[in-house]
Coordinates of all heavy atoms in Angstrom, one line a residue:
P1 N 26.7 36.4 -68.9 CA 26.8 35.2 -68.1 C 28.3 34.8 -67.9 O 28.6 34.3 -66.8 CB 26.0 34.2 -68.8 CG 25.0 34.9 -69.7 CD 25.7 36.2 -70.0
V2 N 29.1 35.0 -68.9 CA 30.5 34.6 -68.8 C 31.2 35.4 -67.7 O 32.0 34.8 -66.9 CB 31.2 34.7 -70.1 CG1 32.7 34.4 -70.0 CG2 30.6 33.8 -71.1
F3 N 30.9 36.7 -67.7 CA 31.5 37.5 -66.6 C 31.1 37.1 -65.2 O 31.9 37.1 -64.3 CB 31.2 39.0 -66.9 CG 31.7 39.9 -65.8 CD1 33.0 40.2 -65.6 CD2 30.8 40.5 -64.9 CE1 33.5 41.0 -64.6 CE2 31.2 41.3 -63.9 CZ 32.6 41.6 -63.7
L4 N 29.8 36.9 -65.1 CA 29.2 36.5 -63.8 C 29.9 35.1 -63.3 O 30.2 35.0 -62.2 CB 27.7 36.3 -63.9 CG 27.0 37.6 -64.0 CD1 25.5 37.4 -64.2 CD2 27.2 38.6 -62.9
R5 N 30.0 34.2 -64.2 CA 30.6 32.9 -63.9 C 32.1 33.1 -63.5 O 32.5 32.5 -62.5 CB 30.5 31.9 -65.0 CG 29.1 31.4 -65.3 CD 29.1 30.5 -66.4 NE 27.7 30.1 -66.7 CZ 27.3 29.4 -67.7 NH1 28.2 28.9 -68.5 NH2 26.1 29.1 -67.9
S6 N 32.8 33.9 -64.2 CA 34.2 34.2 -63.9 C 34.3 34.9 -62.5 O 35.2 34.5 -61.7 CB 34.8 35.0 -65.0 OG 34.7 34.4 -66.2
A7 N 33.5 35.9 -62.3 CA 33.6 36.6 -61.0 C 33.2 35.7 -59.9 O 33.9 35.7 -58.8 CB 32.6 37.8 -61.1
Y8 N 32.2 34.9 -60.0 CA 31.8 33.9 -59.0 C 32.9 32.9 -58.7 O 33.3 32.6 -57.6 CB 30.5 33.2 -59.3 CG 30.0 32.4 -58.3 CD1 29.4 32.9 -57.1 CD2 30.0 31.0 -58.4 CE1 28.9 32.1 -56.1 CE2 29.5 30.2 -57.4 CZ 28.9 30.7 -56.3 OH 28.4 29.9 -55.3
A9 N 33.5 32.4 -59.8 CA 34.6 31.4 -59.6 C 35.8 32.1 -59.0 O 36.4 31.5 -58.1 CB 35.0 30.9 -61.0
A10 N 36.1 33.3 -59.3 CA 37.3 34.0 -58.7 C 37.0 34.2 -57.2 O 37.9 34.0 -56.4 CB 37.5 35.3 -59.4
L11 N 35.8 34.6 -56.8 CA 35.5 34.8 -55.4 C 35.6 33.5 -54.7 O 36.1 33.5 -53.6 CB 34.0 35.4 -55.3 CG 33.9 36.8 -55.5 CD1 32.4 37.2 -55.5 CD2 34.6 37.6 -54.5
M12 N 35.1 32.4 -55.2 CA 35.2 31.1 -54.5 C 36.6 30.6 -54.4 O 37.0 30.1 -53.4 CB 34.3 30.1 -55.3 CG 32.8 30.4 -55.1 SD 32.2 30.5 -53.4 CE 31.9 32.2 -53.2
L13 N 37.4 30.8 -55.5 CA 38.8 30.4 -55.4 C 39.6 31.2 -54.4 O 40.4 30.7 -53.7 CB 39.5 30.5 -56.8 CG 39.0 29.4 -57.8 CD1 39.6 29.7 -59.2 CD2 39.4 28.0 -57.3
G14 N 39.3 32.5 -54.3 CA 39.9 33.4 -53.3 C 39.5 33.0 -51.9 O 40.4 32.9 -51.0
L15 N 38.3 32.7 -51.7 CA 37.8 32.2 -50.4 C 38.5 30.9 -50.0 O 38.9 30.7 -48.9 CB 36.3 32.1 -50.4 CG 35.7 31.6 -49.1 CD1 36.0 32.5 -47.9 CD2 34.2 31.3 -49.2
C16 N 38.6 30.0 -51.0 CA 39.3 28.7 -50.8 C 40.7 28.9 -50.4 O 41.2 28.3 -49.4 CB 39.2 27.8 -52.0 SG 40.0 26.3 -51.9
A17 N 41.4 29.8 -51.1 CA 42.8 30.0 -50.7 C 43.0 30.7 -49.4 O 43.8 30.3 -48.6 CB 43.4 30.9 -51.8
F18 N 42.1 31.6 -49.0 CA 42.1 32.2 -47.7 C 41.9 31.2 -46.6 O 42.7 31.2 -45.6 CB 41.1 33.3 -47.6 CG 41.0 33.9 -46.2 CD1 41.9 34.8 -45.8 CD2 39.9 33.6 -45.4 CE1 41.8 35.3 -44.5 CE2 39.8 34.1 -44.2 CZ 40.8 35.0 -43.7
L19 N 40.9 30.4 -46.7 CA 40.6 29.4 -45.7 C 41.7 28.3 -45.6 O 42.0 27.8 -44.5 CB 39.2 28.7 -46.0 CG 38.0 29.6 -45.8 CD1 36.8 28.9 -46.2 CD2 37.9 30.2 -44.4
T20 N 42.3 28.0 -46.7 CA 43.4 27.0 -46.7 C 44.7 27.5 -46.1 O 45.3 26.8 -45.3 CB 43.7 26.5 -48.1 OG1 42.4 26.0 -48.6 CG2 44.7 25.4 -48.1
L21 N 45.0 28.8 -46.4 CA 46.3 29.3 -46.0 C 46.3 30.1 -44.7 O 47.4 30.4 -44.1 CB 46.8 30.2 -47.1 CG 47.0 29.5 -48.5 CD1 47.4 30.6 -49.5 CD2 48.1 28.4 -48.4
S22 N 45.1 30.5 -44.2 CA 45.1 31.2 -42.9 C 45.4 30.3 -41.8 O 45.2 29.1 -41.8 CB 43.7 31.9 -42.7 OG 42.8 30.9 -42.6
P23 N 46.0 30.9 -40.7 CA 46.4 30.1 -39.5 C 45.2 29.5 -38.8 O 44.1 30.1 -38.8 CB 47.2 31.0 -38.6 CG 46.9 32.4 -39.1 CD 46.5 32.3 -40.5
R24 N 45.3 28.4 -38.2 CA 44.2 27.7 -37.5 C 43.9 28.5 -36.2 O 44.8 29.2 -35.7 CB 44.6 26.3 -37.1 CG 44.9 25.4 -38.3 CD 43.6 24.9 -38.9 NE 43.9 24.0 -40.0 CZ 43.5 24.3 -41.2 NH1 42.8 25.3 -41.5 NH2 43.7 23.4 -42.2
P25 N 42.7 28.5 -35.7 CA 42.4 29.3 -34.5 C 43.2 28.9 -33.3 O 43.6 29.7 -32.5 CB 40.9 29.0 -34.3 CG 40.4 28.6 -35.6 CD 41.5 27.9 -36.3
E26 N 43.6 27.6 -33.2 CA 44.4 27.2 -32.1 C 45.8 27.8 -32.1 O 46.4 28.1 -31.1 CB 44.6 25.7 -32.1 CG 43.3 24.9 -31.9 CD 42.5 24.7 -33.2 OE1 43.1 24.8 -34.3 OE2 41.3 24.5 -33.1
A27 N 46.3 28.1 -33.3 CA 47.6 28.7 -33.5 C 47.7 30.2 -33.1 O 48.7 30.7 -32.7 CB 48.1 28.5 -34.9
I28 N 46.6 30.9 -33.2 CA 46.5 32.3 -32.9 C 45.9 32.6 -31.6 O 45.8 33.7 -31.1 CB 45.8 33.1 -34.0 CG1 44.4 32.6 -34.2 CG2 46.6 33.0 -35.3 CD1 43.6 33.5 -35.2
L29 N 45.3 31.6 -30.9 CA 44.6 31.8 -29.7 C 45.4 32.5 -28.6 O 45.0 33.5 -28.0 CB 44.0 30.5 -29.2 CG 43.1 30.5 -27.9 CD1 41.9 31.4 -28.2 CD2 42.7 29.2 -27.5
E30 N 46.6 32.0 -28.3 CA 47.4 32.5 -27.2 C 47.9 33.9 -27.5 O 47.9 34.8 -26.7 CB 48.6 31.6 -27.0 CG 48.3 30.3 -26.4 CD 47.6 30.3 -25.1 OE1 48.0 31.2 -24.3 OE2 46.7 29.5 -24.8
E31 N 48.2 34.2 -28.8 CA 48.8 35.5 -29.2 C 47.7 36.6 -29.1 O 48.0 37.7 -28.6 CB 49.3 35.4 -30.6 CG 49.8 36.7 -31.1 CD 50.3 36.5 -32.6 OE1 50.9 35.5 -32.9 OE2 50.0 37.4 -33.4
E32 N 46.5 36.3 -29.6 CA 45.5 37.3 -29.7 C 44.7 37.5 -28.4 O 44.1 38.6 -28.2 CB 44.5 37.0 -30.8 CG 45.2 37.2 -32.2 CD 44.1 37.1 -33.3 OE1 43.0 36.9 -33.0 OE2 44.5 37.4 -34.4
C33 N 44.7 36.6 -27.5 CA 43.9 36.6 -26.3 C 44.7 37.0 -25.1 O 44.1 36.9 -24.0 CB 43.1 35.3 -26.1 SG 42.0 35.0 -27.5
A34 N 45.9 37.3 -25.2 CA 46.7 37.6 -24.0 C 46.3 39.0 -23.5 O 46.3 40.0 -24.2 CB 48.2 37.6 -24.4
I35 N 46.0 39.0 -22.2 CA 45.7 40.3 -21.5 C 46.9 40.7 -20.8 O 47.5 40.0 -20.0 CB 44.5 40.0 -20.4 CG1 43.3 39.4 -21.1 CG2 44.2 41.3 -19.7 CD1 42.6 40.3 -22.0
P36 N 47.4 42.0 -21.0 CA 48.6 42.5 -20.4 C 48.4 42.6 -18.9 O 47.4 43.0 -18.4 CB 48.8 43.8 -21.0 CG 47.6 44.2 -21.7 CD 46.8 42.9 -21.9
E37 N 49.4 42.2 -18.1 CA 49.4 42.3 -16.7 C 50.2 43.5 -16.2 O 51.3 43.7 -16.7 CB 50.0 41.0 -16.1 CG 49.3 39.7 -16.4 CD 48.0 39.6 -15.6 OE1 47.9 40.2 -14.5 OE2 47.1 39.0 -16.1
G38 N 49.7 44.2 -15.3 CA 50.4 45.4 -14.7 C 50.8 46.4 -15.7 O 50.2 46.5 -16.7
G39 N 51.8 47.2 -15.3 CA 52.3 48.3 -16.2 C 51.4 49.5 -16.2 O 50.4 49.6 -15.4
D40 N 51.7 50.4 -17.0 CA 50.9 51.7 -17.2 C 49.6 51.4 -17.9 O 49.6 50.9 -19.0 CB 51.7 52.7 -17.9 CG 51.1 54.0 -18.0 OD1 50.1 54.3 -17.3 OD2 51.5 54.9 -18.8
P41 N 48.4 51.8 -17.4 CA 47.2 51.5 -18.0 C 47.1 52.2 -19.4 O 46.2 51.8 -20.2 CB 46.1 52.0 -17.1 CG 46.8 52.2 -15.8 CD 48.3 52.4 -16.1
N42 N 47.8 53.3 -19.6 CA 47.8 54.0 -20.9 C 48.5 53.3 -22.0 O 48.4 53.7 -23.2 CB 48.3 55.4 -20.7 CG 47.5 56.2 -19.8 OD1 46.3 56.0 -19.7 ND2 48.1 57.0 -19.0
E43 N 49.3 52.2 -21.7 CA 50.1 51.5 -22.7 C 49.3 50.5 -23.5 O 49.7 50.1 -24.5 CB 51.3 50.8 -22.0 CG 52.3 51.7 -21.5 CD 53.5 51.0 -20.8 OE1 53.6 49.8 -21.1 OE2 54.2 51.6 -20.1
F44 N 48.2 50.1 -23.0 CA 47.4 49.1 -23.7 C 45.9 49.4 -23.7 O 45.5 50.2 -22.8 CB 47.6 47.7 -23.1 CG 47.4 47.6 -21.6 CD1 46.2 47.4 -21.0 CD2 48.5 47.7 -20.8 CE1 46.1 47.4 -19.7 CE2 48.4 47.7 -19.4 CZ 47.2 47.5 -18.8
P45 N 45.1 48.9 -24.6 CA 43.7 49.2 -24.6 C 43.0 48.8 -23.4 O 43.5 48.0 -22.6 CB 43.2 48.4 -25.8 CG 44.4 48.0 -26.6 CD 45.5 48.0 -25.7
E46 N 41.8 49.3 -23.2 CA 41.0 49.1 -22.0 C 40.6 47.6 -21.9 O 40.3 46.9 -22.9 CB 39.7 49.9 -22.1 CG 38.8 49.8 -20.9 CD 37.6 50.6 -21.0 OE1 37.5 51.5 -21.9 OE2 36.7 50.4 -20.3
V47 N 40.7 47.0 -20.7 CA 40.3 45.6 -20.5 C 38.8 45.7 -20.0 O 38.4 46.4 -19.2 CB 41.2 45.0 -19.4 CG1 40.7 43.6 -19.1 CG2 42.6 45.0 -19.8
I48 N 38.0 44.8 -20.7 CA 36.6 44.7 -20.4 C 36.3 43.4 -19.8 O 36.7 42.3 -20.2 CB 35.8 44.9 -21.7 CG1 36.1 46.3 -22.3 CG2 34.3 44.7 -21.4 CD1 35.4 46.5 -23.6
N49 N 35.4 43.4 -18.7 CA 35.0 42.2 -18.1 C 33.5 42.0 -18.3 O 32.7 43.0 -18.0 CB 35.3 42.2 -16.6 CG 36.8 42.1 -16.3 OD1 37.5 41.3 -16.9 ND2 37.2 43.0 -15.4
K50 N 33.0 40.9 -18.7 CA 31.6 40.6 -18.8 C 31.3 39.4 -18.1 O 32.0 38.3 -18.1 CB 31.2 40.4 -20.3 CG 31.4 41.6 -21.2 CD 30.3 42.6 -20.9 CE 30.5 43.8 -21.9 NZ 29.5 44.8 -21.7
V51 N 30.2 39.4 -17.3 CA 29.7 38.2 -16.5 C 28.4 37.7 -17.2 O 27.5 38.5 -17.5 CB 29.5 38.6 -15.0 CG1 29.0 37.4 -14.2 CG2 30.7 39.2 -14.4
V52 N 28.3 36.4 -17.3 CA 27.1 35.8 -17.9 C 25.9 36.0 -16.9 O 26.1 36.3 -15.8 CB 27.3 34.4 -18.3 CG1 28.2 34.2 -19.5 CG2 27.8 33.6 -17.2
G53 N 24.7 35.8 -17.4 CA 23.5 36.1 -16.7 C 23.4 35.3 -15.3 O 23.0 35.9 -14.3
D54 N 23.9 34.1 -15.3 CA 23.8 33.3 -14.0 C 25.0 33.6 -13.1 O 25.0 33.1 -12.0 CB 23.7 31.8 -14.3 CG 24.9 31.3 -15.1 OD1 25.8 32.0 -15.3 OD2 24.9 30.1 -15.4
G55 N 26.0 34.4 -13.5 CA 27.0 34.8 -12.6 C 28.1 33.8 -12.4 O 29.0 34.0 -11.6
T56 N 28.2 32.7 -13.2 CA 29.1 31.7 -13.0 C 30.4 31.9 -13.8 O 31.5 31.4 -13.5 CB 28.5 30.3 -13.4 OG1 28.1 30.3 -14.7 CG2 27.4 30.0 -12.5
T57 N 30.3 32.6 -15.0 CA 31.5 32.7 -15.9 C 31.7 34.2 -16.1 O 30.8 34.9 -16.4 CB 31.2 32.0 -17.2 OG1 30.9 30.6 -16.9 CG2 32.4 32.0 -18.1
T58 N 33.0 34.6 -16.1 CA 33.4 35.9 -16.4 C 34.3 35.9 -17.6 O 35.3 35.1 -17.6 CB 34.2 36.6 -15.2 OG1 33.3 36.6 -14.1 CG2 34.6 38.0 -15.6
Y59 N 34.0 36.7 -18.6 CA 34.8 36.8 -19.8 C 35.6 38.1 -19.8 O 35.1 39.2 -19.5 CB 34.0 36.7 -21.1 CG 33.3 35.4 -21.3 CD1 32.0 35.3 -20.9 CD2 34.0 34.3 -21.8 CE1 31.3 34.0 -21.1 CE2 33.4 33.1 -22.0 CZ 32.0 33.0 -21.7 OH 31.4 31.8 -21.8
T60 N 36.9 38.0 -20.0 CA 37.8 39.2 -20.0 C 38.4 39.3 -21.3 O 39.0 38.4 -21.9 CB 38.9 39.0 -18.9 OG1 38.3 38.8 -17.6 CG2 39.8 40.2 -18.8
Y61 N 38.4 40.5 -21.9 CA 38.9 40.7 -23.2 C 39.3 42.2 -23.4 O 38.9 43.0 -22.6 CB 37.9 40.3 -24.3 CG 36.6 41.1 -24.3 CD1 36.4 42.2 -25.0 CD2 35.6 40.6 -23.5 CE1 35.2 42.9 -25.0 CE2 34.4 41.2 -23.4 CZ 34.2 42.4 -24.2 OH 33.0 43.0 -24.1
L62 N 40.1 42.5 -24.4 CA 40.6 43.8 -24.7 C 39.5 44.5 -25.5 O 38.9 44.0 -26.4 CB 41.9 43.8 -25.4 CG 43.1 43.2 -24.6 CD1 44.3 43.2 -25.5 CD2 43.4 44.1 -23.4
K63 N 39.3 45.8 -25.2 CA 38.4 46.6 -26.0 C 38.9 46.7 -27.4 O 40.1 47.1 -27.6 CB 38.3 48.0 -25.4 CG 37.3 48.9 -26.1 CD 37.3 50.3 -25.5 CE 36.4 51.2 -26.3 NZ 36.3 52.5 -25.7
P64 N 38.1 46.4 -28.4 CA 38.6 46.4 -29.8 C 38.9 47.9 -30.2 O 38.2 48.8 -29.9 CB 37.5 45.8 -30.6 CG 36.3 45.9 -29.8 CD 36.8 46.0 -28.4
T65 N 39.9 48.0 -31.1 CA 40.2 49.4 -31.6 C 39.5 49.5 -33.0 O 39.6 48.5 -33.8 CB 41.7 49.6 -31.8 OG1 42.3 48.5 -32.6 CG2 42.4 49.6 -30.4
I66 N 38.8 50.5 -33.2 CA 38.1 50.7 -34.5 C 39.0 51.6 -35.4 O 39.3 52.8 -35.1 CB 36.8 51.4 -34.2 CG1 35.9 50.5 -33.3 CG2 36.1 51.7 -35.6 CD1 34.6 51.1 -32.9
T67 N 39.4 51.0 -36.5 CA 40.2 51.7 -37.5 C 39.4 51.8 -38.8 O 38.5 51.1 -39.0 CB 41.5 51.0 -37.7 OG1 41.3 49.7 -38.3 CG2 42.3 50.8 -36.4
P68 N 39.8 52.7 -39.7 CA 39.2 52.7 -41.0 C 39.2 51.4 -41.7 O 38.3 51.0 -42.4 CB 39.9 53.8 -41.8 CG 40.5 54.7 -40.7 CD 40.8 53.8 -39.5
G69 N 40.4 50.7 -41.6 CA 40.5 49.4 -42.2 C 39.5 48.4 -41.7 O 38.9 47.6 -42.4
S70 N 39.3 48.4 -40.3 CA 38.3 47.4 -39.8 C 36.9 47.8 -40.2 O 36.1 46.9 -40.4 CB 38.5 47.4 -38.3 OG 38.1 48.6 -37.7
V71 N 36.6 49.1 -40.3 CA 35.3 49.5 -40.7 C 35.0 49.0 -42.2 O 34.0 48.5 -42.5 CB 35.1 51.0 -40.6 CG1 33.8 51.5 -41.2 CG2 35.1 51.4 -39.1
L72 N 36.1 49.2 -43.0 CA 36.0 48.9 -44.4 C 35.8 47.3 -44.6 O 35.0 46.9 -45.4 CB 37.2 49.3 -45.2 CG 37.2 49.1 -46.7 CD1 36.1 49.8 -47.4 CD2 38.5 49.5 -47.3
A73 N 36.6 46.6 -43.8 CA 36.4 45.1 -43.8 C 35.1 44.7 -43.4 O 34.5 43.7 -43.9 CB 37.5 44.5 -42.9
T74 N 34.5 45.3 -42.4 CA 33.2 45.0 -41.9 C 32.1 45.3 -42.9 O 31.2 44.4 -43.2 CB 32.9 45.7 -40.6 OG1 33.9 45.4 -39.6 CG2 31.5 45.3 -40.0
V75 N 32.2 46.4 -43.5 CA 31.2 46.8 -44.6 C 31.3 45.9 -45.8 O 30.3 45.4 -46.3 CB 31.4 48.3 -45.0 CG1 30.6 48.6 -46.2 CG2 31.0 49.2 -43.8
G76 N 32.6 45.6 -46.2 CA 32.8 44.7 -47.3 C 32.3 43.3 -47.0 O 31.6 42.7 -47.9
G77 N 32.6 42.8 -45.8 CA 32.2 41.5 -45.5 C 30.7 41.4 -45.4 O 30.1 40.4 -45.8
G78 N 30.0 42.4 -44.8 CA 28.6 42.4 -44.7 C 27.9 42.4 -46.0 O 26.9 41.8 -46.3
S79 N 28.5 43.2 -46.9 CA 27.9 43.4 -48.3 C 28.1 42.0 -49.0 O 27.1 41.6 -49.7 CB 28.7 44.5 -49.1 OG 28.5 45.7 -48.4
L80 N 29.2 41.4 -49.0 CA 29.4 40.1 -49.6 C 28.5 39.1 -49.0 O 28.0 38.2 -49.8 CB 30.9 39.7 -49.6 CG 31.8 40.4 -50.6 CD1 33.3 40.0 -50.3 CD2 31.4 40.1 -52.0
T81 N 28.3 39.1 -47.7 CA 27.4 38.1 -47.1 C 26.0 38.3 -47.6 O 25.4 37.3 -48.0 CB 27.5 38.3 -45.6 OG1 28.8 38.1 -45.1 CG2 26.5 37.3 -44.9
G82 N 25.6 39.5 -47.7 CA 24.2 39.7 -48.3 C 24.1 39.4 -49.7 O 23.2 38.7 -50.2
L83 N 25.1 39.7 -50.5 CA 25.1 39.4 -51.9 C 25.2 37.9 -52.2 O 24.4 37.4 -52.9 CB 26.3 40.1 -52.6 CG 26.5 39.7 -54.1 CD1 25.4 40.3 -54.9 CD2 27.9 40.2 -54.6
L84 N 26.1 37.2 -51.5 CA 26.2 35.8 -51.8 C 25.1 35.0 -51.1 O 24.7 34.0 -51.6 CB 27.6 35.3 -51.2 CG 28.8 35.9 -51.9 CD1 30.0 35.4 -51.3 CD2 28.8 35.5 -53.4
G85 N 24.6 35.5 -50.0 CA 23.5 34.8 -49.3 C 22.1 34.9 -50.0 O 21.3 34.0 -50.0
V86 N 21.9 36.1 -50.6 CA 20.6 36.4 -51.2 C 20.7 36.5 -52.7 O 20.0 35.9 -53.5 CB 19.9 37.6 -50.5 CG1 18.6 37.9 -51.2 CG2 19.7 37.4 -49.0
G87 N 21.5 37.5 -53.1 CA 21.6 37.8 -54.5 C 22.1 36.7 -55.4 O 21.4 36.4 -56.4
I88 N 23.1 36.0 -55.0 CA 23.6 34.9 -55.8 C 22.6 33.7 -55.8 O 22.3 33.2 -56.9 CB 25.0 34.4 -55.3 CG1 26.0 35.5 -55.4 CG2 25.5 33.1 -56.0 CD1 26.4 35.9 -56.8
G89 N 22.1 33.4 -54.7 CA 21.2 32.3 -54.6 C 19.9 32.5 -55.3 O 19.4 31.5 -56.0
E90 N 19.3 33.6 -55.4 CA 18.0 33.8 -56.0 C 18.0 34.4 -57.4 O 17.1 34.1 -58.2 CB 17.2 34.8 -55.1 CG 16.8 34.2 -53.8 CD 15.9 35.1 -52.9 OE1 15.5 36.1 -53.5 OE2 15.7 34.7 -51.8
V91 N 19.0 35.2 -57.7 CA 19.0 35.9 -59.0 C 20.1 35.3 -60.0 O 19.7 34.9 -61.1 CB 19.3 37.4 -58.8 CG1 19.4 38.1 -60.1 CG2 18.3 38.0 -57.9
I92 N 21.3 35.1 -59.5 CA 22.4 34.8 -60.4 C 22.5 33.3 -60.6 O 22.7 32.8 -61.7 CB 23.7 35.4 -59.9 CG1 23.6 36.9 -60.0 CG2 24.9 34.9 -60.8 CD1 24.7 37.7 -59.4
L93 N 22.4 32.5 -59.5 CA 22.6 31.1 -59.6 C 21.7 30.4 -60.7 O 22.1 29.5 -61.4 CB 22.5 30.4 -58.3 CG 23.0 29.0 -58.1 CD1 24.5 29.1 -58.5 CD2 22.8 28.5 -56.7
P94 N 20.4 30.7 -60.8 CA 19.6 30.1 -61.8 C 20.1 30.4 -63.2 O 19.9 29.6 -64.1 CB 18.2 30.7 -61.6 CG 18.1 31.1 -60.2 CD 19.5 31.5 -59.8
Q95 N 20.7 31.6 -63.4 CA 21.2 32.0 -64.7 C 22.5 31.2 -65.0 O 22.8 30.9 -66.2 CB 21.5 33.5 -64.8 CG 20.2 34.3 -64.6 CD 20.6 35.8 -64.6 OE1 21.7 36.2 -64.8 NE2 19.6 36.6 -64.3
L96 N 23.2 30.8 -64.0 CA 24.5 30.1 -64.2 C 24.2 28.6 -64.6 O 25.1 28.0 -65.3 CB 25.3 30.1 -62.9 CG 25.8 31.5 -62.5 CD1 26.6 31.4 -61.2 CD2 26.7 32.1 -63.6
V97 N 23.1 28.1 -64.2 CA 22.9 26.6 -64.5 C 22.1 26.4 -65.8 O 21.9 25.3 -66.2 CB 22.1 25.9 -63.3 CG1 23.0 26.0 -62.1 CG2 20.8 26.6 -63.0
R98 N 21.8 27.5 -66.5 CA 21.1 27.3 -67.8 C 22.0 26.8 -68.8 O 23.2 27.0 -68.9 CB 20.5 28.7 -68.2 CG 19.3 29.0 -67.4 CD 18.7 30.2 -68.0 NE 17.7 30.7 -67.1 CZ 17.0 31.8 -67.3 NH1 17.3 32.6 -68.3 NH2 16.1 32.2 -66.4

């Protein structure tokens, strides 16, 4: 139980530090959402346009690049979400409050 409590506390403190120190969405909005204008199409990723069902709004974004790091982050994030959402709540948390 001491190891579980320590691991859970370390995960929560790490999450707290990440959420506190990461830039706000407003600060990164312009930088990450800029669509390149003109130039050689081979210089930047493919631009994708999506239109909502009623045809009133069009969303334009860059095609995401899939790297081993992004796949690893997705797998790790999905695993932690499942573990913390189900495993911690049903199995470990009752043991921590004893």
